[in-house]
């Protein structure tokens, strides 16, 4: 999944460089930094989705709920996802709530502190 987004981001950078020949260097640098930041966020979300997919005892259900609801470029209705999971509507909404809570725990409880630690180490190196 990351490679797909990376390819799109790389294409965007190439197009920006072609189209922005007459734009100030500061503005171009700002745009490129935003693209880099977006790429890092995508990598972080991909890592969280991988962790969610292997989350114990849910048989990838949380992953598929999040992926089909928010990530996939294909548009899935709630009924499509319910049919895919072979569950009742109530079960779907209960599991969706748990999937969102689990993903947020992965992002805020595991990945963000790890990222913060890496940033602090980089700051110490450059000091």
């Amino acid at each position: 999944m990351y490679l797909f987004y990376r390819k799109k981001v790389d294409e965007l950078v190439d197009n920006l460089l072609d189209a922005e020949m007459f734009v100030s260097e500061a503005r171009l640098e700002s745009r490129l930094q935003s693209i880099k930041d977006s790429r890092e966020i995508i990598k972080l979300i991909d890592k969280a989705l991988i962790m969610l997919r292997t989350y114990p005892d849910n048989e990838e259900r949380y992953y598929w709920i999040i992926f089909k609801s928010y990530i996939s470029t294909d548009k899935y209705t709630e009924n499509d996802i319910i049919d895919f999971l072979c569950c009742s509507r109530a079960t779907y909404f209960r599991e969706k709530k748990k999937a969102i809570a689990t993903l947020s725990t992965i992002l805020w409880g595991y990945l963000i502190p790890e990222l913060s630690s890496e940033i602090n180490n980089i700051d110490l190196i450059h000091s």
Side-chain angles (χ1 to χ4, degrees), residues 75-93:
K75 299 298 177 197
Y76 293 96
T77 66
E78 290 173 346
N79 288 334
D80 292 335
I81 300 169
I82 289 167
D83 290 344
F84 175 79
L85 296 172
C86 300
C87 65
S88 70
R89 194 166 189 75
T91 298
Y92 164 73
F93 284 106

Side-chain angles (χ1 to χ4, degrees), residues 2 38-48 111:
Y2 168 68
S38 295
R39 180 184 279 170
E40 293 302 315
I41 291 169
I42 290 169
K43 285 172 37 179
L44 186 66
I45 291 170
D46 279 347
K47 190 173 182 179
L111 297 181

Side-chain angles (χ1 to χ4, degrees), residues 28-92:
L28 182 59
E29 284 180 19
S30 174
R31 283 190 177 186
L32 291 174
Q33 183 62 47
S34 294
I35 291 168
K36 181 182 175 196
D37 293 345
S38 295
R39 180 184 279 170
E40 293 302 315
I41 291 169
I42 290 169
K43 285 172 37 179
L44 186 66
I45 291 170
D46 279 347
K47 190 173 182 179
L49 287 171
I50 289 167
M51 292 176 78
L52 183 66
R53 192 169 193 169
T54 60
Y55 191 77
D57 301 325
N58 79 17
E59 301 169 358
E60 298 184 2
R61 291 173 71 86
Y62 293 173
Y63 167 82
W64 287 114
I65 291 170
I66 297 295
F67 181 80
K68 288 180 178 272
S69 296
Y70 305 109
I71 307 293
S72 176
T73 55
D74 297 326
K75 299 298 177 197
Y76 293 96
T77 66
E78 290 173 346
N79 288 334
D80 292 335
I81 300 169
I82 289 167
D83 290 344
F84 175 79
L85 296 172
C86 300
C87 65
S88 70
R89 194 166 189 75
T91 298
Y92 164 73

